[in-house]
Amino acid sequence: MSIVFIEYVLILLAFCLISKTTSSYRNTWRELRTSMCYSISGFNPRFFCTYEPVTDPIEIHKQKLTLWFSHLPQEERQFGGYFSPETMHVQPLILERHPDEDRGLSPFKEKTSISTRPSLTVEQLFDANNNGNKARGLNVLLYGAVGTGKSTVVRKLVLDWCAGSVFSQFKLVLPFSCEDLSHLSKPTSLRDLVGRKYMHLRKTPYLSGDYDKAKDVLFIFNGMEKMKLDFRIGSTELCSDPNEALPSGAVVVNLLRKYLLPEASILVTTRLSAVDRVPKKYINRYVQICGFNDPDRQRAYFTSRLLQQNEGKPEKAAEMLIEMLYLNLQRESQLATACFLPSYCWLTCATLHLLHFTDTKSPIRTLTGIYTSFMRLNFGGEVITVDGNVSSQEQQNSLMLYVVRTVGKLAFDGITNKRTSFSAEELEQWVGGKTKTDEELQQLAVFRTDVLDFFLVPRDYHGMDPESGGRRYVFAVPAMQEYLAALYVVLGENKSVLEKLTKEVSEALGQASEDITSLLSIISKIIPFRIFAVFNLLKLFPKLFERVSSHSKGRIANTMAAEMFRSEDSFNEDVLDQVEQSLLGVHGPQPQEETYTRAFELYPIFMGGLLHYGNRRLLDQLGCSIKSHTVSQITRALRKHLIKESQKKQPPEELMDLLVLLYEFQNPRLTAEVLQSIKTINLSTVRMTPHKCFVLSTVLSCTSSSFHLNELNLSSCHITPELLQMLWPAFHHTSNLKLCDNYLTDTGISHLLEALSGNHSLQRLCLMHTGLGDRSAQLLAERLGQHEMLQELNVAYNNIGDSAALTLVDACREHPSIHTVHLYLNHLTDVGKQSLYVRGGPRVKEGRRVKVLASVTEGSDISEDWHPILSVIGKNSVSWDRGRVREQLLVFLKDLEWGRKQHQSFWKKMHFRRVESVVRQTLRLLEKSSDTGTGTGIK
């Protein structure tokens, strides 16, 4: 930066010499100072700063709108903050269509009808050709289902207008949130309403009502369903004065009537249920936003997001993900149906970011957190309303809580009975329920119109059940069923009849006075007389009442424990692989028949994740409160179940699920207590992704420095050198580390040895079939002294030559405790094997021998470890390079034949022939497995 500064000083001096007047010198210095400031800082002065302040109110308005609408919510910033509306926006399908044409239909069922209609761009919404009365502005109503992208389109529209790329016919664009307007309690005029939100426009002439200045104004009212609008003359008086104070709803009504600023144009966005709140005569154009109706639009969205990785991320991995996604979308899969809504495209991208682009610098993100954020993005703060009216008991009318009590109840029933699809009758049973009042029926109608299709879509086979022929519905994303069912349980909504009545009685007792007559009258209205005696007993015995009322929290804990640790009839892959397969599809041969029953392994993990404080805080914003004392009681109940389960010997996939559960909990103390009972972590054959590596390291980081594992087995886990760096904390806690059958290479070994420098209890290190070369062997030889307790080193089946192998064995001889080195199936010559055998002999001073396993023979004798060597080869012959294994077995036969000829003893010869027969048997099994695709190991 000093060089740049000197250059600018020299330029300044040159200008000073040329300047002839003091004023010119001052101007030159001012311009140069400004330029130097921004050049050094890296900012563009055109956009960020200037020595001449902006005074035009419209330009100020554009700058402020750009700042406001460019702001990313927390749900976006958690992915690094490198997304922006400009770079990731994909225009959803927009059609001119009257809502009567698709009333009551799901947006997922319209692909055949929308394909024949011409689509519109945002620029065409206010096309002058559609305005019959030039003196009046257009009123355009943009409607669509939840998650189709209405708010995103508005945000992009405003930003593009600020940049000057759209709507050049409007000199002023004024966006308003109808939710904000609905909370205004005092009457206010239009000018004050604008000035209150946009202070710099208080004196703008475009809102004066004089002449036709308002023709250059576009009002945007986003989310009209959240506002009460009454167009009846008796309820909302006519007003044409922008300075007259009115309720906010009346201001909007008079604007739409064209009684107030008739020349202004208006864009209203709303959900389908609220379309009729504006009489048809006040709407010039109905436009429907249909989301991403084809795989190409969906692919464009995925491409714009997945290719924008943090610095240093491999683009090839992202491109491969996009290609796999696109293949799944082209199959007309369940994902393709869900991604009709841009919201589910966001959820898909967020999940793939978690699974594939997690690194050590990433913030702590959980799958439960992503789904909870998804709910907040779509239903944050919403309440069930009828015609814009909000009940005083907002907590009971929370839209998200309504979703849990209806759709969540359906999801829970499906998991209980192991079903993923539901009939129309079941939807009516669980979602409709037994409604009693007109208000409940109206709320249900709004919910069915706007929200139900957001969660449930017709199943494949064109929505028909191949067995019964009836229409069936499934959750748009399979994991959503498990999330909502988990939320249903954690919130304690699966109450018994006694619990429900107890809650009502508790509320009544709290509101009643000591007057017994008043108390009994309240209770008699709540419960039937046939069980009135039960609550008389509760009234007479307060301790009994306290015991019943506390039953609810304990029941939640016991229910969660039973649900989380119940035994399933089927066994699936680990849960993160299941999530990925639901997004990317199953590649390769497809199953002939699809089964609709499965183990819901993500369901208990979501229950654990929902207890985390961050998720509870978001849920509280949605009107779904989980109290801290309830969480404490649940955690105590679960601790003993988790410790009990962790003590069992579990398959690698189920053990990975347990680690994911502990990670989703985000409770370090509980995690440390559970891990104390685990002595072996065997994750062999589990496909380790960046996120799984991050989970393993994070969970083990919760333990104390004294904690250590007897064994950490990560064999055949697809671990790469990059993933090794994420696993550093995991390597500090084990005495036996297995990394066989992972392509680590010399680079990976360098990372591994750096990670192991903090491990002072390592006794066995297995690096068989990991792509090691001579450089890796030399690195191992140099670093062995850091691990004084190391006893056994396995580097078999690698690419180590004679010289490097001798160096490694010499280092092992100098080591105080190493007694065995595995070197078979490396690139060793006969001379090299003989030298290794000689080097492995007893040392003169100590008499300690280092056993070197390089072949089934040692010199002219048979190695005492010939059987373990052949057993390892037999067990891995299917997964290893069969050509190389066959070549090595033939070398063994040659060594055995030569050794047999060196002995005259009949028993020695017989021993050689026995070993030869085992080698030949292994060869036959290898050739047989090459023909049939199967293989067996040596017993």
Side-chain angles (χ1 to χ4, degrees):
M1 188 166 74
S2 59
I3 296 176
V4 176
F5 180 78
I6 292 171
E7 290 178 351
Y8 276 106
V9 171
L10 292 176
I11 296 172
L12 173 63
L13 292 174
F15 272 107
C16 291
L17 292 174
I18 297 173
S19 302
K20 295 182 178 180
T21 62
T22 304
S23 60
S24 64
Y25 167 76
R26 290 174 181 171
N27 292 336
T28 301
W29 167 245
R30 185 186 298 120
E31 294 175 2
L32 187 59
R33 181 181 58 186
T34 304
S35 175
M36 184 170 67
C37 170
Y38 294 119
S39 298
I40 293 175
S41 63
F43 288 101
N44 189 328
R46 177 185 174 191
F47 296 103
F48 292 92
C49 183
T50 178
Y51 62 88
E52 295 181 358
V54 176
T55 58
D56 183 5
I58 301 299
E59 291 301 318
I60 295 175
H61 182 60
K62 289 182 177 180
Q63 290 180 1
K64 290 185 178 293
L65 282 183
T66 300
L67 289 174
W68 291 334
F69 281 80
S70 296
H71 176 75
L72 294 175
Q74 178 61 34
E75 286 76 8
E76 294 287 7
R77 295 200 300 272
Q78 66 177 327
F79 299 105
Y82 44 82
F83 293 131
S84 66
E86 294 81 6
T87 57
M88 69 183 182
H89 182 76
V90 176
Q91 184 71 39
L93 180 69
I94 300 177
L95 301 176
E96 183 167 8
R97 178 161 57 178
H98 196 280
D100 289 343
E101 298 180 37
D102 61 337
R103 183 77 65 181
L105 294 179
S106 165
F108 303 103
K109 309 170 192 173
E110 303 166 357
K111 292 187 178 181
T112 55
S113 61
I114 65 179
S115 61
T116 60
R117 293 174 176 265
S119 61
L120 298 174
T121 63
V122 174
E123 294 87 341
Q124 296 172 322
L125 293 181
F126 291 91
D127 193 338
N129 297 329
N130 291 279
N131 191 357
N133 189 346
K134 302 295 183 181
R136 291 191 173 191
L138 285 174
N139 287 352
V140 177
L141 191 146
L142 176 68
Y143 69 95
V146 177
T148 47
K150 298 183 295 296
S151 297
T152 303
V153 165
V154 168
R155 182 170 68 169
K156 185 65 166 56
L157 183 156
V158 172
L159 289 174
D160 287 348
W161 174 78
C162 293
S165 58
V166 299
F167 290 159
S168 58
Q169 68 269 36
F170 298 116
K171 296 181 180 179
L172 182 61
V173 172
L174 297 169
F176 287 93
S177 165
C178 289
E179 183 178 9
D180 293 343
L181 294 178
S182 67
H183 293 303
L184 295 178
S185 57
K186 296 181 179 180
T188 183
S189 68
L190 174 62
R191 290 185 68 92
D192 289 341
L193 191 65
V194 173
R196 179 176 181 174
K197 185 173 180 64
Y198 306 109
M199 184 176 62
H200 44 279
L201 297 177
R202 284 182 175 177
K203 298 180 180 180
T204 180
Y206 293 104
L207 302 178
S208 63
D210 298 335
Y211 307 106
D212 60 348
K213 289 184 177 295
K215 67 180 177 56
D216 296 324
V217 179
L218 171 63
F219 288 95
I220 300 177
F221 297 105
N222 188 35
M224 189 191 66
E225 71 278 355
K226 300 175 184 178
M227 190 176 190
K228 181 180 180 181
L229 300 179
D230 194 338
F231 283 81
R232 294 174 298 178
I233 298 295
S235 301
T236 304
E237 61 181 293
L238 297 175
C239 175
S240 60
D241 184 2
N243 299 301
E244 183 178 345
L246 295 172
S248 58
V251 173
V252 176
V253 166
N254 278 289
L255 282 171
L256 289 169
R257 283 172 174 165
K258 294 302 180 187
Y259 203 76
L260 180 61
L261 299 184
E263 303 86 5
S265 296
I266 302 174
L267 174 64
V268 176
T269 70
T270 186
R271 294 176 184 169
L272 185 60
S273 64
V275 166
D276 291 335
R277 294 184 194 172
V278 181
K280 297 177 183 179
K281 62 181 179 180
Y282 298 127
I283 300 298
N284 301 105
R285 195 176 200 183
Y286 287 95
V287 180
Q288 182 183 21
I289 183 168
C290 300
F292 300 148
N293 65 307
D294 59 77
D296 290 335
R297 288 181 190 264
Q298 296 164 1
R299 182 177 187 174
Y301 180 90
F302 293 133
T303 301
S304 67
R305 292 194 63 115
L306 293 177
L307 287 182
Q308 295 186 62
Q309 305 305 328
N310 283 328
E311 185 178 357
K313 291 289 185 180
E315 286 192 7
K316 180 175 288 188
E319 290 174 355
M320 186 177 298
L321 279 180
I322 293 170
E323 191 62 33
M324 295 170 71
L325 268 172
Y326 188 58
L327 289 174
N328 195 23
L329 296 172
Q330 286 181 314
R331 296 188 183 115
E332 296 186 359
S333 61
Q334 186 172 339
L335 177 69
T337 305
C339 287
F340 192 82
L341 296 179
S343 289
Y344 278 106
C345 291
W346 181 92
L347 180 61
T348 299
C349 284
T351 305
L352 288 175
H353 269 285
L354 180 77
L355 297 179
H356 288 276
F357 300 111
T358 298
D359 56 31
T360 53
K361 299 179 182 179
S362 300
I364 294 293
R365 296 190 305 245
T366 64
L367 196 62
T368 313
I370 287 176
Y371 274 75
T372 306
S373 298
F374 175 73
M375 293 301 181
R376 196 184 82 90
L377 277 174
N378 290 280
F379 304 107
E382 286 198 50
V383 295
I384 289 285
T385 63
V386 178
D387 294 332
N389 290 320
V390 181
S391 172
S392 58
Q393 297 179 334
E394 291 190 4
Q395 181 68 18
Q396 294 183 3
N397 292 330
S398 158
L399 179 57
M400 190 63 219
L401 192 57
Y402 195 94
V403 168
V404 173
R405 290 172 174 170
T406 54
V407 184
K409 189 175 183 180
L410 175 74
F412 177 74
D413 178 72
I415 287 180
T416 303
N417 297 291
K418 297 184 180 179
R419 291 187 296 109
T420 59
S421 65
F422 308 91
S423 65
E425 291 75 18
E426 288 169 330
L427 261 64
E428 179 64 32
Q429 175 187 357
W430 297 114
V431 178
K434 296 180 180 179
T435 54
K436 299 179 180 179
T437 66
D438 290 341
E439 182 181 1
E440 289 175 332
L441 288 172
Q442 291 175 349
Q443 289 180 353
L444 179 60
V446 171
F447 182 77
R448 284 181 174 275
T449 303
D450 290 340
V451 182
L452 186 59
D453 288 332
F454 181 80
F455 293 102
L456 295 161
V457 299
R459 200 174 68 182
D460 290 343
Y461 307 104
H462 305 287
M464 305 300 289
D465 184 9
E467 297 179 2
S468 63
R471 183 174 292 278
R472 307 286 294 184
Y473 298 89
V474 296
F475 281 84
V477 172
M480 185 60 70
Q481 178 180 356
E482 300 177 72
Y483 176 84
L484 290 177
L487 189 55
Y488 181 78
V489 173
V490 173
L491 289 174
E493 290 299 324
N494 57 328
K495 299 182 179 73
S496 65
V497 175
L498 179 60
E499 288 176 298
K500 293 177 181 178
L501 291 175
T502 301
K503 180 180 179 181
E504 294 175 343
V505 172
S506 176
E507 293 175 353
L509 289 174
Q511 298 170 2
S513 63
E514 296 181 358
D515 187 353
I516 298 298
T517 305
S518 175
L519 175 65
L520 295 181
S521 65
I522 292 175
I523 296 179
S524 64
K525 293 179 181 178
I526 296 174
I527 59 177
F529 284 99
R530 61 178 178 274
I531 57 174
F532 192 80
V534 174
F535 294 99
N536 278 334
L537 290 175
L538 295 178
K539 176 173 63 70
L540 295 174
F541 301 98
K543 290 186 178 180
L544 177 61
F545 177 77
E546 292 177 3
R547 188 183 306 171
V548 174
S549 63
S550 64
H551 173 67
S552 177
K553 288 180 291 183
R555 187 172 184 273
I556 296 175
N558 293 330
T559 301
M560 283 187 62
E563 291 293 326
M564 293 174 76
F565 302 108
R566 62 180 182 175
S567 59
E568 300 286 0
D569 295 336
S570 58
F571 170 72
N572 289 5
E573 300 172 87
D574 73 83
V575 68
L576 295 181
D577 276 352
Q578 293 178 50
V579 173
E580 180 173 297
Q581 286 185 12
S582 70
L583 301 179
L584 303 180
V586 179
H587 298 276
Q590 300 295 314
Q592 295 295 325
E593 294 183 3
E594 183 178 0
T595 57
Y596 294 103
T597 59
R598 63 186 180 90
F600 296 91
E601 296 177 351
L602 192 57
Y603 164 54
I605 290 175
F606 276 141
M607 278 192 282
L610 288 169
L611 298 179
H612 179 235
Y613 171 75
N615 290 322
R616 288 191 286 121
R617 181 171 53 84
L618 289 179
L619 288 170
D620 192 59
Q621 297 175 18
L622 294 170
C624 301
S625 297
I626 306 174
K627 302 301 182 184
S628 297
H629 59 81
T630 304
V631 175
S632 177
Q633 186 168 5
I634 292 172
T635 304
R636 285 197 300 269
L638 293 179
R639 180 181 284 106
K640 61 180 181 180
H641 290 280
L642 283 168
I643 293 175
K644 180 181 178 181
E645 289 297 311
S646 65
Q647 292 173 343
K648 299 178 181 178
K649 184 177 180 180
Q650 297 171 318
E653 290 82 1
E654 292 188 6
L655 180 58
M656 187 70 237
D657 290 350
L658 176 61
L659 296 175
V660 172
L661 172 62
L662 293 174
Y663 173 79
E664 294 279 330
F665 253 120
Q666 290 294 303
N667 187 329
R669 182 178 178 181
L670 175 64
T671 299
E673 291 180 2
V674 173
L675 289 179
Q676 286 296 329
S677 59
I678 298 179
K679 297 304 179 184
T680 298
I681 293 182
N682 180 10
L683 299 176
S684 61
T685 70
V686 171
R687 187 178 62 90
M688 297 297 286
T689 61
H691 183 62
K692 291 177 189 175
C693 293
F694 189 75
V695 166
L696 176 59
S697 293
T698 303
V699 168
L700 288 177
S701 296
C702 297
T703 58
S704 64
S705 57
S706 60
F707 170 81
H708 94 275
L709 296 167
N710 293 337
E711 180 180 304
L712 175 59
N713 190 346
L714 296 175
S715 301
S716 303
C717 290
H718 302 274
I719 293 177
T720 62
E722 293 74 25
L723 293 181
L724 275 177
Q725 293 181 298
M726 300 184 67
L727 289 168
W728 278 24
F731 296 148
H732 294 169
H733 301 279
T734 181
S735 58
N736 185 358
L737 178 58
K738 294 182 179 180
L739 287 167
C740 309
D741 300 316
N742 294 296
Y743 191 63
L744 303 182
T745 70
D746 294 341
T747 303
I749 291 302
S750 177
H751 295 328
L752 175 64
L753 292 176
E754 289 183 34
L756 288 174
S757 60
N759 187 327
H760 302 291
S761 60
L762 187 65
Q763 297 180 8
R764 291 176 177 82
L765 178 61
C766 187
L767 300 172
M768 181 171 60
H769 192 208
T770 51
L772 309 189
D774 290 347
R775 176 58 183 158
S776 298
Q778 292 170 357
L779 285 173
L780 283 168
E782 294 171 2
R783 302 285 185 90
L784 286 179
Q786 298 179 355
H787 305 283
E788 297 180 353
M789 299 182 67
L790 188 63
Q791 299 176 10
E792 187 173 352
L793 177 63
N794 188 341
V795 290
Y797 192 5
N798 281 298
N799 304 313
I800 302 173
D802 290 349
S803 178
L806 290 170
T807 302
L808 181 60
V809 171
D810 286 342
C812 292
R813 293 182 70 206
E814 297 297 326
H815 195 278
S817 58
I818 293 180
H819 57 69
T820 305
V821 182
H822 299 252
L823 279 165
Y824 46 89
L825 294 184
N826 274 289
H827 297 314
L828 304 175
T829 64
D830 293 339
V831 175
K833 294 176 189 175
Q834 183 64 27
S835 300
L836 289 172
Y837 169 66
V838 173
R839 295 287 181 93
R843 297 181 62 182
V844 177
K845 294 182 179 180
E846 302 177 6
R848 187 176 64 85
R849 178 174 181 260
V850 176
K851 187 186 301 181
V852 181
L853 308 182
S855 177
V856 293
T857 60
E858 293 180 355
S860 59
D861 290 325
I862 294 177
S863 171
E864 60 183 11
D865 297 292
W866 68 269
H867 189 275
I869 292 174
L870 292 180
S871 178
V872 169
I873 293 174
K875 291 177 181 178
N876 294 279
S877 60
V878 175
S879 59
W880 287 353
D881 182 352
R882 296 176 185 178
R884 180 170 173 181
V885 173
R886 183 176 183 277
E887 179 184 347
Q888 291 292 323
L889 291 174
L890 292 175
V891 171
F892 287 169
L893 286 177
K894 181 181 176 182
D895 293 342
L896 289 167
E897 184 179 355
W898 178 84
R900 177 164 45 84
K901 293 178 179 179
Q902 306 303 312
H903 294 277
Q904 300 298 324
S905 169
F906 172 78
W907 299 112
K908 283 277 187 180
K909 289 180 179 290
M910 289 296 296
H911 188 30
F912 270 91
R913 290 189 181 279
R914 180 191 170 210
V915 178
E916 284 183 47
S917 67
V918 176
V919 174
R920 295 184 189 280
Q921 181 186 1
T922 306
L923 273 171
R924 287 194 296 270
L925 292 174
L926 182 65
E927 293 172 355
K928 182 179 179 180
S929 65
S930 299
D931 296 333
T932 62
T934 59
T936 55
I938 299 174
K939 299 296 184 183

